Amino acid sequence: MENSKEMRKWLDEMALPHPLVIAGPCSAETEEQVLKIAHELKDSDVNYYRAGIWKPRTRPGNFEGVGAIGLKWLQKVKEETGLKTATEVANRAHVDLALEHDIDMLWIGARSTVSPFIVQDIADALEGTDKVVLIKNPVNPDLSLWLGAVERLHSANIKKLGVIHRGFSSYEKTKYRNIPEWQLAIELQTRFPDLPLINDPSHITGKRDMVFDVSQTALDLNFDGLMIETHFDPDNAWSDAAQQVTPDTLKQMFIDLKMRKETDLEAEYNSKLSNLRAQIDVIDNQLIDTLGKRMKVSDEIGKLKRQKNVAVLQTNRWNAILGNMILEGEERGLSEEFVLRMFKAIHQESINHQEKIINAS
């Protein structure tokens, strides 16, 4: 993308003393609810007030948003509090209504980002707009699809662009609602450092007690901002109740979160070091997760060997694995000694797992 530096001008011009903060309820429920939350946030670090007007639900019959009437409530938010407003759009009709009601920031949701047809339709409707437009990552971990959406909007002469990292769906059950796959966000950040990158810890975690930790990780990784769902009565919210925090909790978070400093050379060094260490922490967690999965497969092999009365150690198989891994390691700058030590330890743990299963009474 040419002239990518233009995409972050809108953020740089805000000259914020802290990361960009987008906060508000998952869904606009009533006018009273929308205004109450906004007034509780107006004297905080919040820069944009978000509220879902149209809510794409996985299955019909659930609350799907109040519709266009909610845009009038967001107009009142701006009039009464001075907060800029933000909402999700999923088609041309949404765009037209949002622009008509002078919504300041629009974002494209994860379910929309997966479809180039939908993204192009929205890009055509927004062509040349001076509104800020953010693109959430697609549901599946596909960096090209995410970047393709950005390119479509950039080609539509939309200058104020950014992306939202909200995690990725997986068929496996984890502690997250949507797995962060931090390495994808890191790769995007590395390839396009001028593209504003916002983290959505609410949708990544799905649990309010995890929002702080994910927010801190995002800041450690030099994200430009956070989008956090906020409700004065989260337990009784009409959608995504478990992941919303109260305005008071949000305010305390921004006291407790460690922000990056850029005031001197030492702070710059520490910031870069924190960023690199945060990347290592992410990768280390992925290594542990992968090793855990490998041992589960070893357990299944142990069960199969027990059924067929087969010995645990298969020497030819082990030698073949070791030879291949040494070659793979060399191509990635890993010494033969390191690869041998690492895989011998992994192999021994696998043997221990299988022996326990085979010898179980």
Side-chain angles (χ1 to χ4, degrees):
M1 287 175 285
E2 296 180 2
N3 301 320
S4 60
K5 287 187 177 181
E6 289 183 0
M7 292 188 289
R8 72 175 300 111
K9 266 189 180 180
W10 65 272
L11 185 56
D12 292 338
E13 288 172 355
M14 293 178 74
L16 297 173
H18 55 75
L20 181 78
V21 182
I22 307 164
C26 173
S27 299
E29 299 166 0
T30 65
E31 181 176 346
E32 179 185 10
Q33 172 247 13
V34 168
L35 291 173
K36 178 176 172 60
I37 297 169
H39 279 281
E40 291 188 24
L41 294 176
K42 72 175 181 178
D43 295 322
S44 66
D45 288 332
V46 174
N47 307 109
Y48 285 86
Y49 183 81
R50 59 142 292 152
I53 304 301
W54 302 279
K55 301 298 298 180
R57 313 314 296 176
T58 302
R59 300 181 68 181
N62 295 322
F63 175 61
E64 296 185 330
V66 296
I69 186 67
L71 296 171
K72 296 185 183 297
W73 305 342
L74 288 178
Q75 282 184 307
K76 282 194 175 182
V77 166
K78 192 185 299 189
E79 291 168 5
E80 294 186 13
T81 69
L83 287 169
K84 293 182 178 179
T85 55
T87 198
E88 178 179 344
V89 292
N91 56 46
R92 183 181 289 268
H94 292 173
V95 170
D96 292 342
L97 285 166
L99 295 180
E100 181 183 324
H101 289 82
D102 197 28
I103 303 301
D104 301 287
M105 173 187 283
L106 311 177
W107 77 83
I108 299 174
R111 289 181 174 90
S112 298
T113 307
V114 299
S115 170
F117 292 110
I118 292 174
V119 173
Q120 189 62 58
D121 191 46
I122 294 172
D124 292 342
L126 284 168
E127 185 164 7
T129 185
D130 64 348
K131 303 295 185 183
V132 177
V133 182
L134 305 179
I135 305 101
K136 285 197 173 187
N137 62 253
V139 174
N140 51 311
D142 188 331
L143 184 60
S144 295
L145 199 56
W146 197 4
L147 289 173
V150 176
E151 290 166 344
R152 288 177 186 278
L153 289 157
H154 189 249
S155 297
N157 196 31
I158 300 168
K159 306 293 186 185
K160 300 176 181 178
L161 285 173
V163 294
I164 302 172
H165 169 235
R166 49 79 78 191
F168 303 87
S169 295
S170 171
Y171 68 91
E172 295 179 341
K173 279 200 168 187
T174 74
K175 65 179 181 178
Y176 300 106
R177 177 180 178 183
N178 294 293
I179 299 174
E181 298 284 6
W182 292 105
Q183 74 280 6
L184 283 179
I186 291 168
E187 184 178 347
L188 182 144
Q189 189 181 49
T190 301
R191 289 170 59 180
F192 298 97
D194 298 314
L195 184 62
L197 179 58
I198 313 300
N199 183 259
D200 179 352
S202 303
H203 279 90
I204 287 175
T205 64
K207 301 171 187 173
R208 67 177 65 94
D209 60 353
M210 294 172 62
V211 167
F212 179 89
D213 288 341
V214 170
S215 297
Q216 186 61 67
T217 298
L219 295 182
D220 291 343
L221 290 170
N222 285 335
F223 277 62
D224 294 291
L226 300 167
M227 176 185 274
I228 300 176
E229 293 188 345
T230 314
H231 197 293
F232 64 82
D233 185 14
D235 286 334
N236 291 304
W238 294 5
S239 59
D240 288 348
Q243 67 193 38
Q244 300 191 64
V245 302
T246 64
D248 286 342
T249 299
L250 182 73
K251 292 172 187 177
Q252 187 61 46
M253 277 180 54
F254 281 94
I255 294 173
D256 297 338
L257 284 169
K258 296 177 181 178
M259 309 299 178
R260 292 182 291 115
K261 297 179 180 178
E262 298 180 349
T263 55
D264 54 50
L265 291 176
E266 185 177 357
E268 182 181 355
Y269 163 78
N270 288 328
S271 175
K272 289 181 179 178
L273 186 62
S274 294
N275 178 285
L276 293 169
R277 284 174 173 170
Q279 291 185 38
I280 284 178
D281 288 344
V282 168
I283 295 168
D284 285 347
N285 285 330
Q286 291 170 343
L287 282 172
I288 291 295
D289 183 60
T290 299
L291 288 171
K293 291 176 181 176
R294 189 188 194 282
M295 294 309 154
K296 286 183 179 178
V297 176
S298 290
D299 289 344
E300 294 302 313
I301 292 173
K303 292 175 186 177
L304 185 61
K305 287 179 179 177
R306 181 182 178 184
Q307 290 175 5
K308 300 299 182 182
N309 196 30
V310 174
V312 169
L313 182 61
Q314 305 288 312
T315 305
N316 291 338
R317 162 76 176 163
W318 163 235
N319 289 336
I321 290 174
L322 203 56
N324 288 335
M325 291 302 102
I326 289 171
L327 292 175
E328 291 283 346
E330 287 177 352
E331 291 181 5
R332 290 162 175 77
L334 303 176
S335 69
E336 179 177 339
E337 180 184 3
F338 171 75
V339 173
L340 282 171
R341 288 203 312 269
M342 179 179 67
F343 272 91
K344 283 180 179 178
I346 292 172
H347 188 237
Q348 185 58 57
E349 182 69 8
S350 294
I351 287 174
N352 293 344
H353 274 243
Q354 292 184 29
E355 282 184 337
K356 188 180 293 186
I357 289 170
I358 287 177
N359 294 325
S361 57

